[in-house]
Amino acid sequence: MKIKDLIKQDAGLQYAVDSLELMSAAGRRALLDTEFSTDAHWLEAEWQRLDRAIQTTLTFKFKKPYIDLRHCLMQLHDLRSTLASLASHTPLNEVELFEVKNLAHLNRIATGAISGLGISDILPLPATDDVFSLLDPDHTGIPNFYIYDSLDPRLTPLRRKLGGLQTSGGDPARIAALLAEQNEIQGQVCLRLSDQLSPWAPTLTAALDQLAYADLLLAKAQLAIDWHLSRPTLGNHIAFTGLVNPRLKHRNEAAHLRYQPVDITVTSGVTLITGANMAGKTVLLKSLGTAQTMVQCGFFAPADEAVTILFDGVTSSIGDDQDEMNGLSSYAAEIIKISDIVRRCRDQRLLVLIDEPARTTNPVEGKAIVQALIRLMQQSDSATLITTHYGQLGANCRRLRVRGFVEDMADIPLTPRNINLFIDYSLTEDLSGEVPHEALRIADILGCDSQLIDTARQYIEK
């Protein structure tokens, strides 16, 4: 699956994509066409290139070679359709020939800039000087293009005659005839140049793609610097230290709110996560999904340290997939999604993220569904994280609990606006099988009706 499809499912990835400082439409096309990769060799090589690009950016960002390269990328147009026409021997018009000449010009300047940055080994560009020379018969050295007189010996006397008639107000019919003859000759020149350029179509396409990739690589490097991303390593499990959700982190920082990174280790099988409401369980799942997707698309990870394994895909049921507009209830949308996940895990290794399954149906059947889900996912090669408020599930799986509310800030009055200051979002191993009972406490903190809360407590006591 490509990034252009993945961003429809992952708001965190969409945020990362929107935050990239791409210079060109070609660079954005390269980004959106990036595949979710299961190729360890490609990912290791891409992370190595990104590491080099980061060091280059930190060293050269305000120096001439880097500035020249960025300036080239700002002028880069996405000429895939033009180059496809050239490859199929379709004649190019004068504007398209200008685009080809400009591409060759930018490629030449970028080649020098990349050499000056010392990264020609990770961004090799093909030579296109012969293309530029063919489209620059007067040796102007500039990327502008028109049908030069030197491209056909008939043009000089024809244009001289035409200019004289136009200046003196000559016969309009004669002027129109000469213009038609000029257009015919120029069409022949375009046809001849197109035939001469056609064998260069693969080289020009390679130059365009590599320049687009250079744009993407530099943008990813700048994102890694700005967001303090870390280079992943491949292992036999997932271990993110200081995992963050960049979108939420930046939102909290803008609002001067606290944000707490989380450490999490994930292995194959099922991990059950419990915790109070507002304890960040849903955010944790989304953060993990975004991080794993970024890593397998060749980005660095939004964490202080990242060890990962490779999956065939990342899939989730976190509420966002429910679509009542299609005539489905919350439960129907959710159970269809979960059923699809179970089927896929029979022949794929997935990172599965499921948030409070069966929470919208009756507790007896809901609990049975969660127990069945845990049992089936334990039999697969996938790594599954399930958050739940159901207790005493009796399932044989790893359990984690979000620590939740803390009491060591008694000198600060607790209010709905600062409630996150009193929550510890870190995870701890939990063997009890119980779930936190803090719903009424949270309702009280949020200022809910006291009679409602007191009456609910009476039912609990009974």
Side-chain angles (χ1 to χ4, degrees), residues 35-300:
E35 296 274 0
F36 181 94
S37 179
T38 58
D39 185 339
H41 295 293
W42 181 84
L43 286 169
E44 291 280 16
E46 180 67 3
W47 296 333
Q48 175 62 27
R49 289 187 289 266
L50 182 51
D51 210 359
R52 289 278 303 280
I54 290 169
Q55 298 307 314
T56 298
T57 300
L58 292 172
T59 304
F60 291 96
K61 184 171 183 179
F62 300 105
K63 296 182 180 179
K64 189 176 186 303
Y66 186 90
I67 294 171
D68 287 347
L69 179 56
R70 297 283 281 182
H71 185 65
C72 280
L73 297 174
M74 289 174 63
Q75 302 175 70
L76 183 66
H77 296 164
D78 197 350
L79 310 183
R80 290 299 292 263
S81 59
T82 297
L83 297 179
S85 296
L86 193 63
S88 64
H89 301 279
T90 301
L92 304 186
N93 59 37
E94 192 170 339
V95 172
E96 291 169 326
L97 289 170
F98 158 72
E99 291 177 335
V100 169
K101 182 180 181 182
N102 187 56
L103 173 60
H105 173 72
L106 294 176
N107 185 66
R108 180 173 59 180
I109 295 176
T111 298
I114 288 171
S115 176
L117 294 172
I119 52 175
S120 298
D121 57 324
I122 65 169
L123 288 174
L125 292 172
T128 55
D129 288 349
D130 289 346
V131 172
F132 188 86
S133 297
L134 180 63
L135 297 173
D136 191 36
D138 291 351
H139 308 292
T140 65
I142 59 177
N144 295 344
F145 177 80
Y146 74 103
I147 306 299
Y148 300 90
D149 288 359
S150 54
L151 289 171
D152 192 295
R154 294 173 292 174
L155 286 173
T156 298
L158 175 61
R159 286 171 171 170
R160 186 178 297 122
K161 186 184 299 183
L162 182 59
L165 287 172
Q166 290 173 327
T167 301
S168 63
D171 180 17
R174 179 60 177 159
I175 291 174
L178 290 175
L179 285 172
E181 183 179 354
Q182 176 182 250
N183 289 338
E184 175 66 22
I185 294 172
Q186 290 181 163
Q188 294 172 8
V189 171
C190 288
L191 178 60
R192 186 177 72 249
L193 289 174
S194 298
D195 286 340
Q196 292 173 300
L197 288 170
S198 185
W200 286 93
T203 301
L204 290 165
T205 301
L208 175 63
D209 289 346
Q210 192 69 338
L211 287 170
Y213 174 69
D215 188 11
L216 174 57
L217 188 65
L218 292 182
K220 286 164 61 176
Q222 189 60 57
L223 187 75
I225 294 168
D226 294 341
W227 285 11
H228 307 288
L229 307 181
S230 64
R231 178 175 174 171
T233 58
L234 295 177
N236 57 9
H237 64 287
I238 296 176
F240 288 106
T241 302
L243 174 68
V244 301
N245 183 306
R247 186 170 67 141
L248 180 59
K249 179 176 183 287
H250 296 158
R251 188 193 71 182
N252 281 16
E253 288 174 347
H256 304 289
L257 297 174
R258 165 179 168 265
Y259 183 85
Q260 180 182 339
V262 176
D263 300 344
I264 184 168
T265 300
V266 181
T267 58
S268 296
V270 175
T271 300
L272 205 61
I273 301 177
T274 61
N277 296 92
M278 303 179 66
K281 300 185 300 298
T282 303
V283 170
L284 172 63
L285 294 188
K286 291 182 177 182
S287 303
L288 186 60
T290 296
Q292 186 66 28
T293 302
M294 287 179 65
V295 164
Q296 290 197 234
C297 287
F299 288 77
F300 279 5

Side-chain angles (χ1 to χ4, degrees), residues 380-419:
S380 76
D381 291 331
S382 297
T384 303
L385 284 85
I386 301 173
T387 67
T388 186
H389 282 290
Y390 289 123
Q392 299 299 329
L393 289 172
N396 182 25
C397 66
R398 181 181 180 222
R399 289 178 170 83
L400 297 175
R401 177 174 54 82
V402 181
R403 291 184 185 276
F405 282 91
V406 294
E407 303 290 346
D408 59 354
M409 298 180 67
D411 56 327
I412 301 176
L414 193 155
T415 69
R417 287 185 57 84
N418 70 2
I419 194 170

